[in-house]
Amino acid sequence: MRKKIVAGNWKMNTRIADGKQLVEQIQAQAGKLDSHQYVIFCAPFTHLSEVVSNVTNENYFVGAQNCNNHLSGAFTGEISAGMLQGIGIKHVIIGHSERRQYFFESNELLKSKVDTLIAENMQIIFCCGEPLEIREANNQNDFVASQLSESLFHLSAQQIAQQVVIAYEPIWAIGTGKTASSEQAQEMHSFIRSLIQTQYGDEVADSFTLLYGGSCNAQNAAELFACKDVDGGLIGGASLKAETFVPIILAMP
Ligand code: PGA
């Protein structure tokens, strides 16, 4: 069975006390996960070292939302993968559309972050997804294929299988309340899985975890997660309260 994941992307929200309370409430309410199910709280950098000690249930993790592409050096204000690892963090989101849009992160830069995270033995949640105008022109497949081939597909089969999950997040669905339909999500996920199959073969493709993100909530999670190629979600707004996040966790097959 494929690994199923629900990851919360808190973005630049919460103070540390809220974050700790949230993590405790969610674990208490969602309870024990099956061995193939995982929950990852992607909290702001300032919270990570504290929140990590509030995570007590098995298969619950704390992750970061970004890291620098260099191993170390004169990069004022930046956080390295090794610093994260040093406080017990294993998972890092990279390539989120907000990083691409507001911080001008290119496919090439993301390739270099991927390489750094692989070298540091971290787990990557790699985001991809098209803007509205690309979807309207029906060019979403080519767009996503380039994001993946330019940043990820240089990895070996073993690296991609063991250290990467992909989150498909159509930009027009992020924070807009306008989720992709389960047909649209399944169609893109099946396309991404076919790209992985072409690149890495059946075994890697069949066991690869693909998350959906973009206005996923307690009402639509079960339908999205029931799609054959959707293995969970990357959740923004709805991850900030136990009452909206716990039902999403419980919707994981
Ligand atoms: P959203 O955000 O759930 O608030 O749409 C998802 C994301 O940006 O990862």
Side-chain angles (χ1 to χ4, degrees):
M1 186 163 205
R2 284 202 289 266
K3 234 184 343 188
K4 308 288 175 181
I5 299 174
V6 167
N9 176 9
W10 296 0
K11 308 191 180 183
M12 198 174 71
N13 294 299
T14 73
R15 298 288 175 104
I16 196 157
D18 314 321
K20 288 169 72 159
Q21 193 184 35
L22 188 57
V23 161
E24 278 171 10
Q25 283 174 345
I26 289 167
Q27 289 174 101
Q29 292 174 28
K32 199 171 170 314
L33 301 172
D34 287 344
S35 59
H36 68 283
Q37 297 174 325
Y38 297 83
V39 169
I40 307 169
F41 302 105
C42 297
F45 286 135
T46 48
H47 301 15
L48 296 175
S49 61
E50 282 243 21
V51 169
V52 86
S53 61
N54 292 85
V55 172
T56 48
N57 291 13
E58 237 171 281
N59 288 11
Y60 286 77
F61 292 92
V62 177
Q65 300 170 16
N66 181 35
C67 76
N68 191 268
N69 58 316
H70 296 92
L71 290 171
S72 64
F75 302 101
T76 301
E78 289 295 280
I79 302 285
S80 74
M83 291 172 187
L84 296 171
Q85 205 183 49
I87 55 166
I89 302 298
K90 293 194 181 71
H91 301 83
V92 183
I93 297 174
I94 58 163
H96 191 279
S97 62
E98 288 150 17
R99 300 288 325 168
R100 294 174 186 265
Q101 185 181 349
Y102 304 134
F103 302 95
F104 313 108
E105 296 195 359
S106 63
N107 291 342
E108 195 187 353
L109 174 74
L110 294 170
K111 179 182 185 199
S112 139
K113 292 193 182 197
V114 164
D115 288 339
T116 302
L117 287 163
I118 294 284
E120 294 281 19
N121 214 11
M122 307 280 282
Q123 298 290 319
I124 298 170
I125 302 172
F126 184 87
C127 300
C128 61
E130 79 287 354
L132 184 60
E133 62 275 17
I134 296 286
R135 169 66 61 167
E136 283 174 348
N138 201 28
N139 284 333
Q140 64 273 14
N141 286 9
D142 286 350
F143 187 89
V144 168
S146 319
Q147 289 181 319
L148 300 180
S149 66
E150 289 174 28
S151 302
L152 269 189
F153 285 172
H154 62 289
L155 295 179
S156 71
Q158 192 185 350
Q159 288 167 332
I160 199 138
Q162 293 181 357
Q163 288 178 254
V164 182
V165 303
I166 292 174
Y168 168 61
E169 301 203 302
I171 297 172
W172 44 271
I174 295 178
T176 57
K178 186 175 184 289
T179 182
S181 66
S182 50
E183 291 76 24
Q184 286 170 319
Q186 170 53 30
E187 197 173 39
M188 178 57 84
H189 280 227
S190 148
F191 172 67
I192 294 173
R193 203 176 295 288
S194 76
L195 295 175
I196 295 171
Q197 187 203 23
T198 307
Q199 193 74 18
Y200 297 106
D202 288 342
E203 205 184 318
V204 175
D206 288 345
S207 58
F208 196 85
T209 296
L210 287 174
L211 311 181
Y212 168 79
S215 299
C216 184
N217 58 37
Q219 286 71 46
N220 58 31
E223 188 184 334
L224 286 160
F225 297 173
C227 297
K228 183 167 146 288
D229 290 299
V230 178
D231 307 307
L234 179 56
I235 320 298
S239 72
L240 293 169
K241 287 203 177 110
E243 73 217 53
T244 50
F245 196 52
V246 170
I248 302 176
I249 296 173
L250 298 179
M252 251 190 299

